[in-house]
Amino acid sequence: MAALFRGCWNFYKRSNKHVELTLVSCRSMASKTPVGFIGLGNMGTPMARNLLKHGYPVIATDVFPESCKEFQDSGAQILDCPAEVADKADRIITMLPSSPNVIEVYTGPNGILKKVKKGTLLIDSSTIDPAVSKEMAVAAEKMGAVFMDAPVSGGVGAASLAKLTFMVGGVEEEFNAAQELLTCMGANVVYCGQVGSGQFNILFCNNFVLSDLCPLIYLYLLIRLGLDPKLLAKILNMSSGRCWSSDKYNPVPGVMEGVPSANNYQGGFGTKLMAKDLGFAQNTATSTRTPIPLGSLAHQIYRTMCAHGYSNKDFSSVFQFLREEEVQ
């Protein structure tokens, strides 16, 4: 009888273990349900690829067919419009160039909110006007969905290496669900507060980055005096003058590999996008009566660059712009 009891008990344990493993497997499979991704530009494509690398099926769309074809070759499913993506996925990430693009993708005739399902998590990683993020959150809530803003810092290189920093704004109870996806694409995911707070943080981070304009201008001056750019970069990076633009993103051609300045300022973060972000920061400073003189000057410089044909070049092309202004 004891032997029979032990046999029954061992069978029960084996069966119970099998059930536990099955439940764990089901939970893992549930977390790998399709993720929608809208916006396959310089940033969006590597971000979406990193989701694929982590085992998430991706359903995507973009206004440019060539971007869709390239991403389809990576293993994604491509649909015709954002509404179709919303019909197939209950977690959707958007990465778009501007506020009007975000409004169109979410609320347009073929927008996400036309077919969004209740309970869908919407994560917008575009850098846009914080007021627009709040408007989209209200519109999503009316449809029973949850909207969070999660703009990024780090540029195309960081997007490719999944080393972006996400600054997330929205309902705190939904942060863990967003974090699950964002950690596939970034090294840091920071909860900042209510919807729109992510945008405020990223806009002013870009202003801090542009404090690097000061050492860049001095770098330009020293090169004009005949000093070797590589030697200058080495000295800067060993001294108190070390900064992001000298250490990670040198704007002088021939000094550093793997950055836009080594590729005629192609790729990277476009000048027109930097001008847009600085404009948002300037508007916020104006509405709060906060003086940001260096930010205002940087905004003026990048707007001037856009007017001189630099819109689609990486923002570090400010170095080339200064050199051409010298020639003229």
Side-chain angles (χ1 to χ4, degrees), residues 47 93-96 123-127 150-152 166 182 199:
M47 288 168 65
I93 299 168
T94 52
M95 186 61 170
L96 303 161
I123 304 172
D124 181 40
S125 287
S126 317
T127 300
V152 304
F166 289 89
L182 300 179
Q199 299 294 346

Side-chain angles (χ1 to χ4, degrees), residues 10-23:
N10 288 335
F11 175 77
Y12 169 78
K13 287 195 294 183
R14 287 196 299 272
S15 299
N16 195 48
K17 184 177 181 181
H18 175 71
V19 171
E20 289 176 357
L21 288 173
T22 301
L23 289 173

Side-chain angles (χ1 to χ4, degrees), residues 76-94:
Q77 180 183 354
I78 300 297
L79 298 179
D80 290 335
C81 67
E84 290 187 11
V85 174
D87 190 45
K88 300 289 186 183
D90 57 14
R91 294 180 292 180
I92 301 171
I93 299 168
T94 52

